[in-house]
Amino acid sequence: MNWRKLRTFLLTVLVLCLIPATRYYQIDEPLMRLLKSPRAVDPLSLHLAGEFVESNLGTEQGSDGSVTVRMIAQQYLFVPHCILVPAGVPVHLRITSADAVHSLNFIGTKYNVKVVPGTISEAQLQFPEAGDFKTACTEFCGAGHYAMRSKLKVVPRDQFPVLGAQERGTCAAR
Amino acid sequence: MRRDKRQGFSRWRAAWIAATLVAAGSLLVVASDNRPERVPSYVSWTPETIAAASAGDAFRGMLLAKHCEHCHGAEGFSAVGATPNLAGVNRLAIWKELEDFRSHKRRSPVMEPIAGSLSSRDVADVVAYYAKVPVFEDLQDNRSFPQPRPDQKRSAMASLLVSFGDGERGIPPCQSCHGPVAYKIGVPSLANQNADYVLRQLEAFANGSRSNDINMPMRTISILLSEEERHALAGYYGSGLGLDTGSSR
């Protein structure tokens, strides 16, 4: 066996090993981590009771000043359609899906959150500066996928409204 | 002796009243601590729900549907534009609306008592019948469908929204849920719907007087639409421009 043939063979083996490894670390492992998590929710009855009833969606301000955002991704909308968060404060995002796999991408920022039905995806976000951002679904979810967009409004910390324990902040039109 | 008994009794009664008051008070405190949860509809599309909603007997439904004819038309097409056409509408969609009328999650002074008088078997039978009613044209029927086409500008505006939506504002295309491209579960086909009814529902969703959409898709979208776009979309569907593959029935 000459050197050229050996080199081709070794390269082929290397590439064949790399493809499943890439797939595993980029797709399967994050998905399995989500699916194995005990924080399971029933995607069909989100609206009936529990954390993701419609009156609980939006930005919640804890008594200690922590900020939590709860959202639902569904074909082909993010609800609430515009999220309101203060700038420079760590934001805890909790999002779940009502039907298919979605992915919430905050365009122009480093954040992208995969949303799998039956699980709650959590992420710690922080937006240093005030401004208007757009979000988009980056996981093909069906016929209206490309129009599945929403908005994120980051306001300066002193302009963020003081929310009561029962209130949920949102900038979606009402 | 008697007097003592009575005194004892009244003491017990006083104790009971006090205990009840304390219990009621604590309940009130607990109730005010809990968030009032807004539930849009008690329907949840589990496999059991779908099986129960699809198990209707269309022949029995045809007999029951004699009650609906006065408003919804003998052939499932109503004479008044504000009343929805039911012919060929996806059975799960009508089933959900009837269930919401029964549980008062969708308000209508006319439909709430009518739906309340139906049993769950009646509802399944009626929707099985209407899903099978043919939708072809009948000139002898006094239906108001189809209505005249909207003008060129509005037609173009509506067909853009129906087939592409508006990604800039985050409005998904109507056809990705209402057909013919795809039918989301429990979503009605709009291909044979009256313009006036579609417009009224869009406005009701926008002003919150109708709020029975699960996870609020229509309340979100209808607010994003402008007044002219609502009229354009209603005219588009009401003039028969919408298409239907019938695959959702």
Side-chain angles (χ1 to χ4, degrees), chain B residues 35 43-44 66 76 78 135 140 155 169 171 174 179 183 194-196 205 208 212:
Chain B
R35 277 185 64 72
V43 175
S44 155
K66 294 286 168 203
S78 60
V135 294
Q140 296 184 342
S155 297
R169 283 181 290 163
I171 300 173
C174 314
Y183 297 90
N194 288 326
D196 199 10
F205 277 126
N212 67 329

PDB file of all heavy atoms in Angstrom, chain B residues 35 43-44 66 76 78 135 140 155 169 171 174 179 183 194-196 205 208 212:
ATOM      1  N   ARG B  35     -52.985  33.926  42.131  1.00  0.00           N
ATOM      2  CA  ARG B  35     -53.217  34.719  40.935  1.00  0.00           C
ATOM      3  C   ARG B  35     -54.525  34.290  40.311  1.00  0.00           C
ATOM      4  O   ARG B  35     -54.802  33.109  40.217  1.00  0.00           O
ATOM      5  CB  ARG B  35     -52.117  34.442  39.915  1.00  0.00           C
ATOM      6  CG  ARG B  35     -50.859  35.238  40.123  1.00  0.00           C
ATOM      7  CD  ARG B  35     -49.912  34.958  38.997  1.00  0.00           C
ATOM      8  NE  ARG B  35     -50.475  35.429  37.740  1.00  0.00           N
ATOM      9  CZ  ARG B  35     -50.583  36.704  37.420  1.00  0.00           C
ATOM     10  NH1 ARG B  35     -50.204  37.620  38.257  1.00  0.00           N
ATOM     11  NH2 ARG B  35     -51.075  37.073  36.271  1.00  0.00           N
ATOM     12  N   VAL B  43     -60.973  23.356  26.538  1.00  0.00           N
ATOM     13  CA  VAL B  43     -60.627  22.311  25.569  1.00  0.00           C
ATOM     14  C   VAL B  43     -59.115  22.157  25.505  1.00  0.00           C
ATOM     15  O   VAL B  43     -58.376  23.134  25.471  1.00  0.00           O
ATOM     16  CB  VAL B  43     -61.181  22.660  24.177  1.00  0.00           C
ATOM     17  CG1 VAL B  43     -60.733  21.664  23.149  1.00  0.00           C
ATOM     18  CG2 VAL B  43     -62.687  22.751  24.226  1.00  0.00           C
ATOM     19  N   SER B  44     -58.643  20.914  25.536  1.00  0.00           N
ATOM     20  CA  SER B  44     -57.231  20.645  25.346  1.00  0.00           C
ATOM     21  C   SER B  44     -57.149  19.480  24.368  1.00  0.00           C
ATOM     22  O   SER B  44     -57.827  18.470  24.549  1.00  0.00           O
ATOM     23  CB  SER B  44     -56.623  20.301  26.706  1.00  0.00           C
ATOM     24  OG  SER B  44     -55.487  19.523  26.558  1.00  0.00           O
ATOM     25  N   LYS B  66     -81.541  20.357  12.259  1.00  0.00           N
ATOM     26  CA  LYS B  66     -82.762  21.067  11.838  1.00  0.00           C
ATOM     27  C   LYS B  66     -82.962  22.312  12.702  1.00  0.00           C
ATOM     28  O   LYS B  66     -83.551  23.291  12.259  1.00  0.00           O
ATOM     29  CB  LYS B  66     -83.979  20.143  11.968  1.00  0.00           C
ATOM     30  CG  LYS B  66     -83.965  18.965  11.029  1.00  0.00           C
ATOM     31  CD  LYS B  66     -84.284  19.388   9.620  1.00  0.00           C
ATOM     32  CE  LYS B  66     -83.967  18.250   8.659  1.00  0.00           C
ATOM     33  NZ  LYS B  66     -83.741  18.740   7.295  1.00  0.00           N
ATOM     34  N   GLY B  76     -76.199  24.803   5.247  1.00  0.00           N
ATOM     35  CA  GLY B  76     -74.998  25.172   5.988  1.00  0.00           C
ATOM     36  C   GLY B  76     -74.436  26.519   5.584  1.00  0.00           C
ATOM     37  O   GLY B  76     -73.337  26.870   6.003  1.00  0.00           O
ATOM     38  N   SER B  78     -75.421  30.556   5.627  1.00  0.00           N
ATOM     39  CA  SER B  78     -76.420  31.421   6.233  1.00  0.00           C
ATOM     40  C   SER B  78     -76.805  32.551   5.295  1.00  0.00           C
ATOM     41  O   SER B  78     -76.054  32.924   4.396  1.00  0.00           O
ATOM     42  CB  SER B  78     -75.885  31.985   7.539  1.00  0.00           C
ATOM     43  OG  SER B  78     -74.726  32.711   7.282  1.00  0.00           O
ATOM     44  N   VAL B 135     -70.038  21.850  -0.220  1.00  0.00           N
ATOM     45  CA  VAL B 135     -69.901  23.313  -0.264  1.00  0.00           C
ATOM     46  C   VAL B 135     -70.113  23.876  -1.664  1.00  0.00           C
ATOM     47  O   VAL B 135     -69.829  25.041  -1.891  1.00  0.00           O
ATOM     48  CB  VAL B 135     -68.514  23.744   0.258  1.00  0.00           C
ATOM     49  CG1 VAL B 135     -68.380  23.427   1.726  1.00  0.00           C
ATOM     50  CG2 VAL B 135     -67.401  23.087  -0.530  1.00  0.00           C
ATOM     51  N   GLN B 140     -80.354  28.418  -5.871  1.00  0.00           N
ATOM     52  CA  GLN B 140     -81.701  28.478  -5.316  1.00  0.00           C
ATOM     53  C   GLN B 140     -81.695  28.725  -3.814  1.00  0.00           C
ATOM     54  O   GLN B 140     -82.729  29.021  -3.236  1.00  0.00           O
ATOM     55  CB  GLN B 140     -82.427  27.168  -5.628  1.00  0.00           C
ATOM     56  CG  GLN B 140     -82.597  26.999  -7.115  1.00  0.00           C
ATOM     57  CD  GLN B 140     -83.387  25.770  -7.465  1.00  0.00           C
ATOM     58  OE1 GLN B 140     -83.529  24.881  -6.649  1.00  0.00           O
ATOM     59  NE2 GLN B 140     -83.874  25.739  -8.686  1.00  0.00           N
ATOM     60  N   SER B 155     -57.586  43.438  -2.319  1.00  0.00           N
ATOM     61  CA  SER B 155     -57.371  42.030  -2.676  1.00  0.00           C
ATOM     62  C   SER B 155     -55.896  41.679  -2.620  1.00  0.00           C
ATOM     63  O   SER B 155     -55.505  40.640  -2.085  1.00  0.00           O
ATOM     64  CB  SER B 155     -57.890  41.745  -4.088  1.00  0.00           C
ATOM     65  OG  SER B 155     -59.250  41.941  -4.148  1.00  0.00           O
ATOM     66  N   ARG B 169     -43.537  42.403  10.891  1.00  0.00           N
ATOM     67  CA  ARG B 169     -44.339  42.628  12.090  1.00  0.00           C
ATOM     68  C   ARG B 169     -44.590  41.333  12.863  1.00  0.00           C
ATOM     69  O   ARG B 169     -45.226  41.352  13.907  1.00  0.00           O
ATOM     70  CB  ARG B 169     -45.692  43.234  11.691  1.00  0.00           C
ATOM     71  CG  ARG B 169     -45.595  44.705  11.363  1.00  0.00           C
ATOM     72  CD  ARG B 169     -46.950  45.253  10.993  1.00  0.00           C
ATOM     73  NE  ARG B 169     -47.418  44.744   9.709  1.00  0.00           N
ATOM     74  CZ  ARG B 169     -48.683  44.811   9.311  1.00  0.00           C
ATOM     75  NH1 ARG B 169     -49.589  45.332  10.084  1.00  0.00           N
ATOM     76  NH2 ARG B 169     -49.031  44.341   8.125  1.00  0.00           N
ATOM     77  N   ILE B 171     -46.374  38.662  11.650  1.00  0.00           N
ATOM     78  CA  ILE B 171     -47.706  38.108  11.381  1.00  0.00           C
ATOM     79  C   ILE B 171     -47.543  36.861  10.524  1.00  0.00           C
ATOM     80  O   ILE B 171     -47.087  36.951   9.392  1.00  0.00           O
ATOM     81  CB  ILE B 171     -48.588  39.142  10.643  1.00  0.00           C
ATOM     82  CG1 ILE B 171     -48.744  40.394  11.498  1.00  0.00           C
ATOM     83  CG2 ILE B 171     -49.934  38.535  10.302  1.00  0.00           C
ATOM     84  CD1 ILE B 171     -49.448  41.517  10.792  1.00  0.00           C
ATOM     85  N   CYS B 174     -51.982  33.468   7.003  1.00  0.00           N
ATOM     86  CA  CYS B 174     -53.235  32.845   7.449  1.00  0.00           C
ATOM     87  C   CYS B 174     -53.322  31.398   6.986  1.00  0.00           C
ATOM     88  O   CYS B 174     -53.852  30.541   7.684  1.00  0.00           O
ATOM     89  CB  CYS B 174     -54.432  33.612   6.888  1.00  0.00           C
ATOM     90  SG  CYS B 174     -54.329  35.379   7.051  1.00  0.00           S
ATOM     91  N   GLY B 179     -55.579  26.815   6.379  1.00  0.00           N
ATOM     92  CA  GLY B 179     -55.618  26.146   5.102  1.00  0.00           C
ATOM     93  C   GLY B 179     -55.496  27.099   3.953  1.00  0.00           C
ATOM     94  O   GLY B 179     -55.619  28.294   4.123  1.00  0.00           O
ATOM     95  N   TYR B 183     -53.445  22.846   8.251  1.00  0.00           N
ATOM     96  CA  TYR B 183     -54.528  23.099   9.197  1.00  0.00           C
ATOM     97  C   TYR B 183     -54.031  22.763  10.588  1.00  0.00           C
ATOM     98  O   TYR B 183     -53.717  21.613  10.879  1.00  0.00           O
ATOM     99  CB  TYR B 183     -55.742  22.230   8.876  1.00  0.00           C
ATOM    100  CG  TYR B 183     -56.356  22.522   7.537  1.00  0.00           C
ATOM    101  CD1 TYR B 183     -55.926  21.849   6.398  1.00  0.00           C
ATOM    102  CD2 TYR B 183     -57.347  23.477   7.401  1.00  0.00           C
ATOM    103  CE1 TYR B 183     -56.474  22.113   5.163  1.00  0.00           C
ATOM    104  CE2 TYR B 183     -57.900  23.746   6.173  1.00  0.00           C
ATOM    105  CZ  TYR B 183     -57.455  23.068   5.052  1.00  0.00           C
ATOM    106  OH  TYR B 183     -58.000  23.334   3.837  1.00  0.00           O
ATOM    107  N   ASN B 194     -68.251  33.812   5.680  1.00  0.00           N
ATOM    108  CA  ASN B 194     -68.793  35.119   5.321  1.00  0.00           C
ATOM    109  C   ASN B 194     -67.854  36.243   5.742  1.00  0.00           C
ATOM    110  O   ASN B 194     -67.245  36.180   6.803  1.00  0.00           O
ATOM    111  CB  ASN B 194     -70.140  35.334   6.015  1.00  0.00           C
ATOM    112  CG  ASN B 194     -71.222  34.487   5.409  1.00  0.00           C
ATOM    113  OD1 ASN B 194     -71.225  34.231   4.205  1.00  0.00           O
ATOM    114  ND2 ASN B 194     -72.130  34.019   6.239  1.00  0.00           N
ATOM    115  N   ALA B 195     -67.801  37.294   4.897  1.00  0.00           N
ATOM    116  CA  ALA B 195     -66.898  38.416   5.175  1.00  0.00           C
ATOM    117  C   ALA B 195     -67.253  39.090   6.489  1.00  0.00           C
ATOM    118  O   ALA B 195     -66.385  39.381   7.311  1.00  0.00           O
ATOM    119  CB  ALA B 195     -66.962  39.423   4.033  1.00  0.00           C
ATOM    120  N   ASP B 196     -68.546  39.325   6.696  1.00  0.00           N
ATOM    121  CA  ASP B 196     -68.956  40.058   7.882  1.00  0.00           C
ATOM    122  C   ASP B 196     -68.581  39.289   9.144  1.00  0.00           C
ATOM    123  O   ASP B 196     -68.124  39.865  10.132  1.00  0.00           O
ATOM    124  CB  ASP B 196     -70.470  40.280   7.828  1.00  0.00           C
ATOM    125  CG  ASP B 196     -70.903  41.395   8.756  1.00  0.00           C
ATOM    126  OD1 ASP B 196     -70.009  42.095   9.267  1.00  0.00           O
ATOM    127  OD2 ASP B 196     -72.118  41.556   8.977  1.00  0.00           O
ATOM    128  N   PHE B 205     -61.578  39.602  18.572  1.00  0.00           N
ATOM    129  CA  PHE B 205     -60.296  39.149  19.124  1.00  0.00           C
ATOM    130  C   PHE B 205     -59.429  40.348  19.491  1.00  0.00           C
ATOM    131  O   PHE B 205     -58.752  40.357  20.515  1.00  0.00           O
ATOM    132  CB  PHE B 205     -59.552  38.294  18.107  1.00  0.00           C
ATOM    133  CG  PHE B 205     -59.982  36.852  18.085  1.00  0.00           C
ATOM    134  CD1 PHE B 205     -60.390  36.253  16.917  1.00  0.00           C
ATOM    135  CD2 PHE B 205     -59.933  36.083  19.239  1.00  0.00           C
ATOM    136  CE1 PHE B 205     -60.764  34.925  16.894  1.00  0.00           C
ATOM    137  CE2 PHE B 205     -60.302  34.756  19.224  1.00  0.00           C
ATOM    138  CZ  PHE B 205     -60.723  34.176  18.047  1.00  0.00           C
ATOM    139  N   GLY B 208     -60.749  42.110  22.587  1.00  0.00           N
ATOM    140  CA  GLY B 208     -60.793  41.245  23.760  1.00  0.00           C
ATOM    141  C   GLY B 208     -62.169  40.728  24.111  1.00  0.00           C
ATOM    142  O   GLY B 208     -62.318  40.001  25.087  1.00  0.00           O
ATOM    143  N   ASN B 212     -61.301  33.088  23.415  1.00  0.00           N
ATOM    144  CA  ASN B 212     -61.248  31.648  23.653  1.00  0.00           C
ATOM    145  C   ASN B 212     -60.212  30.940  22.774  1.00  0.00           C
ATOM    146  O   ASN B 212     -60.302  29.733  22.563  1.00  0.00           O
ATOM    147  CB  ASN B 212     -62.626  31.020  23.444  1.00  0.00           C
ATOM    148  CG  ASN B 212     -63.075  31.065  22.003  1.00  0.00           C
ATOM    149  OD1 ASN B 212     -62.721  31.973  21.280  1.00  0.00           O
ATOM    150  ND2 ASN B 212     -63.833  30.082  21.581  1.00  0.00           N
TER     151      ASN B 212
END
